[in-house]
Structure formats: C-alpha cells, structure tokens
C-alpha cells in the first residue's frame, strides 16, 4: 500500500493521465496516508482537506493533459509562506491562527501549475533553528528514526516528503534550512540563486539571505517544481529580471568533462569521518562518470557562521519589529498602555531562540557595536564571495558535504546554541554569496542519510540538476527507503 | 568583550522585550557564548575591503506611483486584535507608562 507513496511526480502523472488514478483519489489517499503517519512524523501544522478535494475534483472534471505534469500532484507548504486558505503561523505563538489576506506569489504559482495544496508544514519558529525544535506547536520527527531531529528550519517540509506523506514540499533557506533537513531525511533539496524565486509572501527572517525552494524525492522532480515557481515578480524588488530556462532541458547530458571543485575547508569543520567518506565516494563516482575533480581552497569558510549570525540576526531584529500586537497576531491581555502592548505581546509571543536572535541583532546594530560586528560581518561576506568567484572562474560546480554530521538526537543540542549553529557551517557560505546550493542523498552513516552538497554559479541551477541527475542515475542511495515508507 | 546582565537587559529594552530575572541569567550566559563565537571575525583584516549587505542583482527598482483601490479594509480589520468603529483600538497612549511624553 505504500507503493503509491514512493512514486515520483512523473510516475504519479502517468497514473493520472491514464486514469488509473483520479486526482480526487490521489488527494483522498494522501490525506489518509497523512492521518495514518502523522502521529509518528508530526510534520503538519494545518491541513486543507476540503479545498484540496474540491480542487482535485475540478481538475478531474477538466481532464489532466499529458503535458501538464504537475496537475493533481499533492504539495505541502512551509508555514512561513502565507496562504489565504490555511492559517500561517511561522510556528510561532505570536501568529497563532493568523489568516493572511493574500497568497504568496509561490502559492499562486503552485495553484496555477495545478498542484493540490495539502497543508502547512512545521518549522523552527520564524525559521530560526536547525532542528524544528523551536516550533511553538510540535516536534517533527526524522522520517528515518523518530528519536532524531528532522533538521531545520524546514524540518516538516523534509520529513513529510521522506515519510511519503507528500511527494513535494516548499521550504525556505536562510543559512541551510532546505539543504540540511534534506540531507538529514535523504531527499533532494534546492536553495536556488538569490532572486530566482519571488519571496513576496514569505515571512521575512533575513532579507539578504532568505530564498524559497523545492524539496522532492528525485532530482528531476525538483527541477520540474523549480520550473513552475521561478521567475521575476514585480511584487518582489529582489527577484531577478531574467528568463527562466527549462531546468530539465539538459538534465540527461551527463558530467563528462565537467570541472568539479572540492574545497578542503569543507572537510575540516568538525565533519564526521563517515560523512566525509560517503561524500568522497560520491566525488569518486563523478570521476568515474567523466568529470574532472580537483581540490580547491575557500579560505574564508571558517568565518561564515560568525558573520551569518550577525547579519541574519541584525536583519531579523528589524524584520520582526512588525510583530507589535497592534495590527495582527497575539496581543497580551495584560497590557495596560501602548508600550506594554509592544513589550508584553512580544515577550509572551516570541520563543527563546527568536528573542535571542532579535537581541543579538539589536546589539550588533547598536552604537558602539556596529563597526565591530555588523560592518565586520559585511566585510567577511565580501571575502567569502571573492573566494567563490575565484573558484568559479575555473570550475563548473563545487561539491562538499551538506552537513558535518547525520541527524542528531531530539533534545541533544537544543540548549547549546553554538553546537546547533555549527550544524549550518557548510551551508551558510552559499547564502552569504547568494549562490544556488542543493543537497542530494549520497550514502548512509549509522543508518541515517548523508547529503552531498552541490553548489553552482549564480543562476546555474540547470548545471546542478544535470550533475545531480547523473549521480542519481548511477547510484541507488535515493532508492533506499525509511521503514515508514516501506523500507527495512 | 563579555556582555553583562545589565547590557543584556538594556538590549532587551531596545528590542521591546522584557526578561524575568531567571530569563535574564540564561540570556546573558547564552548571548555571551554567541558573542564569543562571533568575535572570531576580529582576526579578519578588513582594511580596503568593502562590506556586502545585499546580493540582489537589481540595484534600484522603481515603479509608477499609481493608487490602487484594494478594498481590503474589512478583511484587514478582521485580523486586528481589538477594533472599534472601524478603527484599530489600542490602550491609551497618554497613560501612566507614557505620562511624561
């Protein structure tokens, strides 16, 4: 019975086109699957059953065309992307039951593509965290081992796909929040180039770093979803005014002659030896497939986490000022005057991690600290960008581990911010430089998935998919399934 | 540069947050460890390096200033914690807490 929930988009599409399965049946079975598995996974914060079944019925009545590959496919949306049909909470008490008056541009796009929007997915509060444990509402479990974290902040988005609840989800990535949970759950996660996808309707965390991206079971599925959600949007002035290529067009062209750089610093940052071994094996596979692989240096990598926490927190402290208890969201019933509306609403509405980052941000922007912290972090960022430019002058792609370790235990790191922050040490640099980065399954350690990180040139997602697909075709890592999805 | 509990409470105030004594202790300790971590940046020689604060590819984006009728007043007011007569209601601004203003 789990077979249906192991299928990729193209396989589901064939069933829909051949009418072996109607969109309504697929939607109903998706909800039944979620109902059965949710007590173990706890990935969803809201479900959209009535609207989803109505939309699927409409699609069935209109008929699903052969070329309309995304029509009728179930999709889940991270809860920091606003939706009119379902509450959007960003996993925070301060937005409990909040209903947006508009849909995010990516939500409009998934609807236009014919996706069936199934529900909203759990995450770290305001996307601040690496384990989904800072959610105010629930603790999502890793699909491979329910005693482990699913990663974060897009932990719900990753676990739901890995557990077979849905074939596709949307996540967001500020310092690794798509790639790290994708690695921890053995799925494909893409953080596209900054500007590739509109962020209109994404609840802002760190505006110079945030990017939305797709999470899927296969590389080609991922490319198909990116096709549908990319493009310039007048409502987001940071979205790039570029034509969107078909990301599947060159996906079968292989890696012969492709130049791949492997940065030595990405194997030094507390990387577990078994993770390093799995990634080195993956790189060898690329050599066998005809790629030219060479070691390079990205010397400023070690400053990434420090610079990131200054920049991201500074931007967060500014972005989260809008949560003031006045126009929407939680207002403290204890507030007796306007100042107390702000202070008590925010103090009662935000969780500890969010408060800590707001305070770090306020501190680093305050007089006396600005030059030593915020400006210095901006300079570190410039040096990191230059590192990448030097490598990409000679190479097509960079490959490295996605994370230093496999998924860690629930509760293991939550009281230790530094250890938690170091979980993103290998993903943060691409956000700092605005580059596209993805994670694909490349092996296992202690029975848990290991992710291979592929970093591309700005707007070079097609080349990344080409390389990722070649690896997927040559290996079986993505075929191994967690027990909850029929594996053993 | 260690951060004191007093400074933490000052930063909390600037952030429109208040901390209980127990929270203040935890935040001071954790913020200290985070600030110690970010002080790694001190070893960078930033002389002659421009700081980067955006990686957006568009530098300036303008649009025509056209008024658009949104008709969202009722929907927006429905999200407000407290309303009265079609307005957003808040506690008195010139109350005790702001009496000196």
């Amino acid at each position: 019975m789990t077979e249906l929930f192991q299928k990729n988009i193209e396989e589901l599409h064939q069933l829909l086109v051949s009418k072996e399965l109607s969109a309504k049946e697929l939607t109903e079975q998706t909800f039944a699957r979620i109902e059965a598995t949710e007590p173990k996974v706890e990935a969803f914060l809201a479900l959209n059953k009535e609207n989803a079944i109505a939309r699927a019925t409409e699609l069935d009545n209109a008929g699903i065309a052969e070329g309309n590959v995304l029509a009728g496919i179930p999709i889940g949306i991270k809860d920091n992307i606003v939706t009119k049909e379902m509450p959007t909470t960003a996993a925070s008490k301060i937005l409990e039951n909040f209903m947006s008056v508009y849909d995010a541009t990516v939500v409009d796009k998934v609807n236009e593509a014919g996706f069936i929007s199934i529900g909203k997915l759990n995450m770290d509060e305001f996307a601040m965290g690496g384990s989904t444990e800072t959610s105010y509402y629930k603790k999502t479990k890793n699909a491979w081992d329910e005693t482990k974290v699913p990663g974060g902040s897009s932990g719900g988005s990753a676990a739901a796909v890995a557990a077979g609840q849905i074939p596709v989800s949307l996540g967001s990535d500020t310092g690794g929040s798509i790639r790290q949970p994708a690695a921890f759950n053995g799925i494909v996660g893409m953080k596209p180039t900054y500007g590739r996808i509109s962020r209109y309707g994404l609840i802002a965390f760190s505006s110079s770093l945030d990017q939305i991206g797709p999470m899927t079971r296969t590389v080609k599925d991922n490319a198909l979803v990116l096709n549908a959600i990319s493009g310039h949007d007048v409502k987001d002035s940071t979205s790039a005014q570029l034509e969107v290529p078909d990301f599947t067009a060159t996906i079968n062209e292989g890696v012969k002659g492709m130049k791949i750089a492997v940065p030595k610093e990405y194997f030094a940052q507390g990387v577990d030896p078994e993770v390093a071994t799995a990634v080195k094996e993956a790189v060898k596979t690329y050599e066998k497939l005809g790629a030219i692989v060479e070691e390079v240096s990205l010397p400023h990598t070690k400053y990434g986490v420090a610079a990131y926490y200054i920049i991201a927190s500074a931007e967060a402290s500014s972005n989260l000022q809008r949560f003031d208890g006045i126009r929407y969201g939680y207002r403290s019933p204890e507030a007796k005057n306007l100042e107390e509306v702000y202070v008590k609403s925010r103090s009662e509405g935000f969780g500890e991690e969010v408060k800590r980052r707001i305070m770090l941000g306020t501190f680093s922007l305050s007089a006396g600290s600005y030059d030593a912290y915020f400006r210095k972090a901006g300079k570190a960022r410039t040096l990191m960008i230059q590192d990448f430019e030097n490598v990409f002058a000679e190479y097509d792609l960079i490959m490295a581990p996605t994370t230093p370790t496999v998924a860690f235990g629930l509760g293991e790191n939550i009281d230790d911010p530094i250890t938690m922050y170091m979980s993103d040490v290998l993903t943060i640099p691409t956000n700092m430089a605005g580059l596209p980065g993805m994670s694909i399954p490349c092996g296992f350690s202690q029975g848990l998935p290991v992710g291979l990180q592929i970093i591309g040139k700005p707007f070079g997602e097609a080349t990344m998919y080409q390389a990722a697909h070649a690896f997927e075709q040559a290996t079986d890592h993505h075929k191994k399934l967690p027990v909850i999805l029929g594996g053993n | 540069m260690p951060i004191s509990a007093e400074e933490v409470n000052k930063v909390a105030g600037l952030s429109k947050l208040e901390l209980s004594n127990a929270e203040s202790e935890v935040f001071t300790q954790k913020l200290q460890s985070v600030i110690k971590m970010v002080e790694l940046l001190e070893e960078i020689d930033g002389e002659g390096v421009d700081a980067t604060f955006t990686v957006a590819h568009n530098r300036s984006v303008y649009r025509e200033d056209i008024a658009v009728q949104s008709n969202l007043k009722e929907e927006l007011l429905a999200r407000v914690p407290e309303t009265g007569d079609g307005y957003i209601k808040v506690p008195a601004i010139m109350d005790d807490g702001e009496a000196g203003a």
Side-chain angles (χ1 to χ4, degrees), chain B residues 50-62:
Chain B
D50 289 332
T52 299
F53 296 118
T54 176
V55 288
H57 294 261
N58 319 325
R59 287 298 163 188
S60 297
V61 179
Y62 299 102

Side-chain angles (χ1 to χ4, degrees), chain B residues 49-90:
Chain B
V49 179
D50 289 332
T52 299
F53 296 118
T54 176
V55 288
H57 294 261
N58 319 325
R59 287 298 163 188
S60 297
V61 179
Y62 299 102
R63 62 169 169 77
E64 294 299 313
D65 186 14
I66 303 167
V68 179
Q69 181 63 263
S70 71
N71 294 321
L72 285 174
K73 185 181 170 188
E74 293 306 317
E75 281 184 72
L76 289 168
L77 279 175
R79 272 98 183 146
V80 172
E82 207 179 344
T83 59
D85 300 330
Y87 292 96
I88 296 172
K89 206 169 162 185
V90 293

Side-chain angles (χ1 to χ4, degrees), chain A residues 290-363:
Chain A
I292 300 151
V293 178
E294 284 169 358
E295 188 179 85
V296 297
S297 175
L298 292 167
H300 295 91
T301 301
K302 71 170 177 173
Y303 302 109
V305 173
Y308 170 84
Y309 277 93
I310 294 293
I311 291 169
S313 302
E315 293 182 11
S317 70
S318 172
N319 277 322
L320 269 58
Q321 281 189 64
R322 73 191 64 182
F323 299 98
D324 57 8
I326 304 290
R327 289 147 297 140
Y328 51 83
Y330 175 80
R331 177 187 290 182
S332 170
E334 307 297 325
K336 300 288 190 298
N337 58 47
L338 192 61
E339 180 73 5
E340 284 186 5
V341 170
Y342 304 142
V343 174
K344 289 191 185 300
S345 301
R346 289 163 63 82
S347 300
E348 293 164 22
F350 289 137
E352 186 191 321
E353 181 68 34
V354 174
K355 287 181 193 171
R356 193 163 61 233
R357 299 214 198 181
I358 290 173
M359 287 168 59
L360 177 64
T362 304
F363 170 74

Side-chain angles (χ1 to χ4, degrees), chain A residues 131-461:
Chain A
S131 64
T132 309
E133 292 168 292
T134 71
S135 168
Y136 173 68
Y137 299 99
K138 54 172 67 167
K139 295 212 188 324
T140 301
K141 315 298 186 296
N142 189 293
W144 293 77
D145 179 345
E146 58 195 273
T147 69
K148 305 290 182 190
V149 299
S153 64
S154 309
S157 300
V161 170
Q165 294 182 318
I166 41 172
V168 181
S169 65
L170 296 184
S172 71
D173 190 314
T174 306
S177 285
I178 287 174
R179 290 159 287 158
Q180 184 253 33
F184 279 7
N185 287 277
I187 63 166
V188 179
M190 165 66 96
K191 181 208 87 80
T193 314
Y194 187 86
R196 177 61 92 186
I197 294 175
S198 168
R199 293 151 342 140
Y200 179 73
L202 173 69
I203 295 176
F205 161 14
S206 178
S207 306
S208 79
L209 301 165
D210 299 339
Q211 192 64 207
I212 295 169
M215 304 175 81
T216 56
R217 288 188 200 128
T218 67
V219 173
K220 190 166 182 195
D221 278 5
N222 207 285
L224 288 167
V225 182
L226 193 65
N227 278 349
I229 61 174
S230 295
H232 177 243
D233 179 11
V234 290
K235 294 174 186 163
D236 174 4
S237 65
T238 62
S239 75
Q241 298 183 33
L242 281 179
E243 285 293 309
V244 179
D246 175 356
F247 296 109
T248 64
T250 54
I251 208 162
N252 290 316
E253 290 183 8
V255 294
K256 210 168 171 52
M258 211 179 255
K259 288 194 75 181
I260 295 170
V262 179
K264 62 180 180 191
E265 291 82 2
Y266 280 58
F267 292 85
Q269 302 275 346
V271 176
D272 180 273
E274 283 191 23
V275 170
T277 302
V279 171
K280 283 175 183 165
E281 280 298 314
V283 171
K284 274 187 203 152
T285 302
Y286 275 100
E287 279 185 305
K288 283 183 204 146
L289 293 170
I292 300 151
V293 178
E294 284 169 358
E295 188 179 85
V296 297
S297 175
L298 292 167
H300 295 91
T301 301
K302 71 170 177 173
Y303 302 109
V305 173
Y308 170 84
Y309 277 93
I310 294 293
I311 291 169
S313 302
E315 293 182 11
S317 70
S318 172
N319 277 322
L320 269 58
Q321 281 189 64
R322 73 191 64 182
F323 299 98
D324 57 8
I326 304 290
R327 289 147 297 140
Y328 51 83
Y330 175 80
R331 177 187 290 182
S332 170
E334 307 297 325
K336 300 288 190 298
N337 58 47
L338 192 61
E339 180 73 5
E340 284 186 5
V341 170
Y342 304 142
V343 174
K344 289 191 185 300
S345 301
R346 289 163 63 82
S347 300
E348 293 164 22
F350 289 137
E352 186 191 321
E353 181 68 34
V354 174
K355 287 181 193 171
R356 193 163 61 233
R357 299 214 198 181
I358 290 173
M359 287 168 59
L360 177 64
T362 304
F363 170 74
S364 66
L365 289 172
S366 63
S369 300
Y370 183 87
D371 281 327
Y373 294 96
F374 191 62
R375 182 169 296 282
K376 200 67 180 274
K379 290 185 176 196
R381 189 172 188 173
T382 304
L383 294 168
M384 293 173 72
I385 292 169
Q386 288 168 354
D387 282 355
F388 279 119
E389 284 171 353
N390 290 340
V391 169
F392 279 126
E394 287 185 50
Y395 296 89
D396 299 300
L397 295 170
I398 294 171
M399 289 191 190
T402 307
T403 55
T405 67
V406 291
F408 45 86
L410 279 156
E412 197 177 310
N413 294 336
I414 193 69
D415 288 323
D416 180 359
I418 306 299
T419 304
M420 189 71 93
Y421 295 174
M422 285 300 166
S423 166
D424 289 339
V425 64
L426 306 177
T427 47
I428 279 172
T430 59
N431 299 77
M432 298 289 271
L435 298 173
M438 72 189 293
S439 181
I440 60 172
C442 76
F444 291 85
S445 167
Q446 303 156 50
L448 293 165
V450 175
L452 170 71
Q453 186 174 201
I454 303 174
I455 302 167
K457 295 180 184 178
F459 302 102
E461 290 91 348

